[in-house]
Amino acid sequence: MPAHTADMTTPGGLLLVLAVLVPVLGLLAGLVVGGRQARSVVLLTIALGLAIALAVAREVLFRSNPLAYVLGGWAPPLGIILQADGLSAAMMLAAAVVVAGIAVYAGGNFGTARGEPESRRSLSFWLLLLAVWGGLNLVFVTRDLFTGYVALEMLTFAAVPLVCLDGSGETIRAALRYLLFALLGSMLYLLGVFLLYGTYGTVDMALLAARAGPGLTTMAAIALLTLGLLAKTALFPLHLWLPPAHSGAPPAASAILSGLVVKGSWFLVVRVWLDVFPGVVPVSAAQLLAACGAAAILAGNVVALRQQRLKLLVAYSTVAQIGYLFVMFPLAAGLAGLGLDAAPARSAGLLQAMSHALAKAAMFMAAGLIYKSVGHDRIAELAGCARAMPLTVLTFALAGIALMGLPPSGAYVAKKLFFDAAAASGQEWLEFVLNAGAFLTASYTILVLAHALRPVGGRLLLKAPPSRAGELSALVLALASLLLGFVATGMIPHASLSGAFTLAGLAAALVVLAVGAVVAAALGLQLPPVAGGSALAGLLGPLRRLTVAAGVLVVRVDGGLRHWPVASITLLVLVLGFAAAIVNGH
């Protein structure tokens, strides 16, 4: 629940309405003008929406004035209130920046040059981009669980067609898989909303926070809400739809799906667990969420390292990075349980989400540029890429550094806050998971760069030179993620962040890279040839066979979990597990 609790419209509250309405109006205008003019309308809409997001951020983040708008003048429980606190404003700003970057990038794929015939694919992309943005903004500003459901559906029904814009059988199957599992999540979420409305007569978050207490109905509702949202977020082991959907979509669409769409359902989990039911959800249930997050970080990264195709590697990287977003819940619950301030864990989760949105969008955009220019994305055949496409490969490297959590990225600051919260709440095991995740992220980033930096005889012949606008927009997003840490340390008052960027931090970063290189050599699927590699392979062969066997086992387990019967049973087991953990916690 946003910090503002008075049920009245505040000065500037209209900005929240505009943040939702402007993308929708832009969508309708684009639909009317159609064809080649749609892109111009969308770019104008994005410029206006970015200005609105900046205005909201100025009021909420820099002037500490939470915003609210009472729709129709009707206060809850009859009416609906839109509100924005720091969490909302920061996510709105991050989403606006990512959408703007993707729009510039997508001009090379979905633009319609003068004289070219108009295409339905191009028009669909631009309109769906605005639909996703409008749905996300509604998720970020709503104070109502049912409006949150409507926003999530808007998000889902805009995201699913993005997966199959190419119209191939493979992408249509991936889109249908995504749609069906997301609808399953919607059904669970809606059941939870109905239970809460039947029990408390409202679905307004502020009113629920004041009225709800421990009880079987409340606990069942929390379990249903949570699992519905986890299915939509694709938290391991409920990720069966994500790898084919994110890797099969066009690169600009993959950037939207991976950078932004998964944040919508995660954001509502934050609202439900930390704002609506902070005293109802026990630490034991949060530990179950932590176990899923930890499994995502470890398994997702290992499977990413075992991929042959670059886009599939990046998609599995998203599976892993989603796990980081859920580390905040056990830490917040643990701190609150000890009577300590849970704000550091919350700030860390927010920073992680923003940093990932920027870096993952940039990484998918770089992967898309490589695919289009080279004609494939087979990692083992990327030799010569760094020389032929230096800016693109640099972007991939910077995005990888940001995802590793190395200084000065936003993820680095988030990791410091996570570590402090883990130590203060006695959950040091999460530090091991976070460090292992950094090593594994470094390993697949290094593996890709090792192939891309490998020389070839002569210059790599590109099918088409990369779009300069596309390269620059991806680079800007990667740099934004990398430099986010400087902004965060100036805005988050926390003792551990004073002097965050030190030589010790740089030394730790070098250790991450060194261990990552070793992990890549031990687990990587196809290693680039290196001088003396044969002798080293002979010496370390037995060890590598052992580590590779472990990696293959993780890949097989992942493949098993992504079968429909297994995923459905897993979802049911997790619903019961969360319900049991919540009941036992009381």
Side-chain angles (χ1 to χ4, degrees):
M1 177 186 59
H4 179 81
T5 55
D7 294 344
M8 57 186 291
T9 297
T10 62
L14 187 60
L15 288 170
L16 306 181
V17 180
L18 292 176
V20 178
L21 271 186
V22 164
V24 175
L25 293 176
L27 186 159
L28 295 175
L31 193 60
V32 170
V33 301
R36 68 185 74 252
Q37 285 77 27
R39 182 180 173 229
S40 302
V41 171
V42 171
L43 292 179
L44 183 64
T45 304
I46 288 173
L48 187 56
L50 185 58
I52 293 170
L54 285 168
V56 171
R58 185 188 62 177
E59 286 298 319
V60 178
L61 297 178
F62 299 101
R63 296 182 176 175
S64 301
N65 293 326
L67 300 178
Y69 189 89
V70 183
L71 294 178
W74 294 83
L78 292 178
I80 295 173
I81 291 184
L82 303 181
Q83 288 194 354
D85 58 358
L87 185 66
S88 307
M91 289 304 296
M92 286 173 68
L93 185 58
V97 171
V98 172
V99 165
I102 291 172
V104 173
Y105 173 88
N109 295 311
F110 295 101
T112 306
R114 191 182 300 276
E116 281 187 5
E118 299 175 355
S119 77
R120 183 178 298 176
R121 175 175 175 269
S122 174
L123 176 63
S124 300
F125 172 81
W126 294 112
L127 300 185
L128 292 170
L129 174 63
L130 290 185
V132 165
W133 194 18
L136 271 175
N137 281 345
L138 185 55
V139 168
F140 295 148
V141 300
T142 185
R143 208 185 82 174
D144 181 285
L145 288 177
F146 185 77
T147 307
Y149 164 77
V150 174
L152 283 179
E153 293 311 281
M154 183 176 171
L155 201 56
T156 299
F157 285 107
V160 167
L162 284 172
V163 174
C164 56
L165 278 176
D166 285 346
S168 67
E170 186 180 355
T171 58
I172 290 174
R173 280 194 295 276
L176 285 175
R177 174 180 282 233
Y178 176 17
L179 176 64
L180 291 176
F181 208 68
L183 289 178
L184 195 57
S186 299
M187 189 176 68
L188 294 175
Y189 179 87
L190 201 54
L191 279 173
V193 172
F194 286 161
L195 281 178
L196 290 174
Y197 186 75
T199 305
Y200 300 106
T202 182
V203 287
D204 179 79
M205 296 183 193
L207 293 179
L208 279 173
R211 296 177 184 178
L216 283 178
T217 308
T218 305
M219 294 169 188
I222 295 172
L224 289 168
L225 288 172
T226 302
L227 265 297
L229 294 170
L230 296 192
K232 283 178 167 291
T233 311
L235 177 65
F236 189 92
L238 305 175
H239 64 298
L240 86 162
W241 60 266
L242 191 149
H246 287 201
S247 64
S254 299
I256 300 169
L257 296 168
S258 202
L260 294 178
V261 172
V262 295
K263 306 297 186 305
S265 41
W266 167 80
F267 187 89
L268 282 180
V269 180
V270 176
R271 290 296 190 213
V272 169
W273 278 55
L274 302 187
D275 294 331
V276 183
F277 303 110
V280 179
V281 180
V283 176
S284 55
Q287 288 292 337
L288 188 52
L289 210 51
C292 293
I297 292 171
L298 299 177
N301 277 324
V302 169
V303 180
L305 190 52
R306 300 288 304 167
Q307 295 306 311
Q308 295 183 354
R309 287 183 46 225
L310 185 57
K311 283 192 70 182
L312 202 49
L313 178 152
V314 182
Y316 268 104
S317 165
T318 298
V319 172
Q321 293 288 326
I322 287 172
Y324 286 92
L325 301 180
F326 287 88
V327 167
M328 68 182 287
F329 296 99
L331 296 178
L335 291 173
L338 294 171
L340 301 173
D341 184 12
R346 190 185 179 101
S347 300
L350 171 62
L351 266 178
Q352 186 68 41
M354 294 176 68
S355 184
H356 176 258
L358 295 162
K360 189 49 61 72
M363 188 173 269
F364 257 122
M365 290 154 74
L369 288 169
I370 290 172
Y371 184 93
K372 187 174 181 182
S373 296
V374 179
H376 65 81
D377 66 344
R378 295 185 291 275
I379 297 168
E381 300 174 26
L382 294 182
C385 266
R387 185 179 175 195
M389 310 170 63
L391 207 55
T392 300
V393 174
L394 173 65
T395 298
F396 188 91
L398 293 177
I401 289 172
L403 292 177
M404 291 174 216
L406 302 188
S409 68
Y412 169 73
V413 177
K415 205 160 67 174
K416 285 186 74 67
L417 292 171
F418 277 142
F419 284 168
D420 286 349
S425 61
Q427 300 178 78
E428 287 84 358
W429 69 276
L430 285 171
E431 294 182 26
F432 166 79
V433 174
L434 293 172
N435 280 325
F439 297 146
L440 287 164
T441 305
S443 67
Y444 60 69
T445 304
I446 289 171
L447 188 64
V448 171
L449 293 177
H451 282 291
L453 289 166
R454 194 157 51 91
V456 290
R459 190 178 180 86
L460 180 67
L461 293 178
L462 301 178
K463 289 193 170 184
S467 152
R468 186 60 70 190
E471 283 191 313
L472 290 176
S473 58
L475 180 62
V476 167
L477 293 185
L479 285 172
S481 179
L482 200 62
L483 301 178
L484 182 61
F486 289 125
V487 180
T489 50
M491 296 186 68
I492 300 175
H494 195 268
S496 69
L497 299 185
S498 60
F501 307 112
T502 61
L503 286 177
L506 183 60
L510 294 176
V511 170
V512 169
L513 293 173
V515 175
V518 173
V519 174
L523 271 171
L525 183 62
Q526 291 168 298
L527 303 180
V530 295
S534 300
L536 197 61
L539 189 63
L540 301 177
L543 179 60
R544 176 167 161 80
R545 282 194 289 275
L546 189 63
T547 53
V548 166
V552 170
L553 179 62
V554 174
V555 171
R556 287 179 178 170
V557 170
D558 169 75
L561 288 171
R562 290 193 298 106
H563 284 107
W564 270 102
V566 178
S568 303
I569 292 171
T570 304
L571 184 62
L572 180 61
V573 169
L574 283 175
V575 170
L576 297 175
F578 272 105
I582 294 171
V583 170
N584 289 334
H586 291 277

